[in-house]
Amino acid sequence: MMTETQAEYTKSGGDKAKVWDTIQKEFKCCGVSNYTEWKPQFENSTTQVVPASCCKSTSNCNGTEADINADKIYKEGCLTKFETFVKDNVFIIGGVGIGLAFVQIIGILFAFCLARALRKEYEVV
């Protein structure tokens, strides 16, 4: 899925491009596996070979071949960075999931109590 949206980066220029830019800036990465995956998307560009969001700093970096050679871009892929993020935060993610499940169960119990109270009230009348 990441590779499919990556292929549409330069075509859409909309939401998918914004998502990729945000991911690459937040996780400090470039591409799915590495930065070289961006080259086919920028075939029509005369200078740019990766998105500017791959740059380590926004000053004097436009995602050109010179920026790659000068080590101004992130070269590690986003998939490995995301996997590391999930592994590091698995207990937090699991805790949130269990907490939401607990809230759902409490809601179901309250619904049963309400239904039972309504049934008793209906029988009295």
Side-chain angles (χ1 to χ4, degrees):
M1 183 167 157
M2 288 179 78
T3 309
E4 294 162 4
T5 58
Q6 189 179 24
E8 298 176 23
Y9 181 88
T10 54
K11 295 175 187 172
S12 65
D15 292 338
K16 292 176 184 173
K18 289 178 186 174
V19 169
W20 265 109
D21 289 341
T22 302
I23 289 171
Q24 291 181 148
K25 287 177 187 173
E26 290 295 319
F27 286 104
K28 297 179 179 167
C29 57
C30 188
V32 179
S33 298
N34 59 40
Y35 72 97
T36 58
E37 296 174 333
W38 281 113
K39 289 184 181 182
Q41 278 68 45
F42 290 94
E43 285 178 340
N44 297 332
S45 176
T46 55
T47 57
Q48 191 175 11
V49 289
V50 296
S53 58
C54 287
C55 294
K56 294 177 180 178
S57 171
T58 54
S59 61
N60 297 329
C61 181
N62 298 314
T64 62
E65 196 71 46
D67 293 331
I68 294 171
N69 295 334
D71 199 35
K72 291 184 178 180
I73 67 156
Y74 300 113
K75 295 184 178 179
E76 189 176 352
C78 294
L79 186 59
T80 54
K81 290 273 190 162
F82 183 72
E83 287 172 349
T84 303
F85 173 79
V86 171
K87 286 177 185 175
D88 291 346
N89 296 296
V90 71
F91 292 112
I92 295 170
I93 295 167
V96 169
I98 290 170
L100 290 174
F102 181 74
V103 169
Q104 292 283 325
I105 290 170
I106 296 297
I108 291 169
L109 292 175
F110 281 138
F112 281 134
C113 290
L114 178 63
R116 187 173 176 203
L118 290 174
R119 181 181 296 156
K120 281 185 178 179
E121 194 174 302
Y122 181 72
E123 290 173 0
V124 172
V125 176

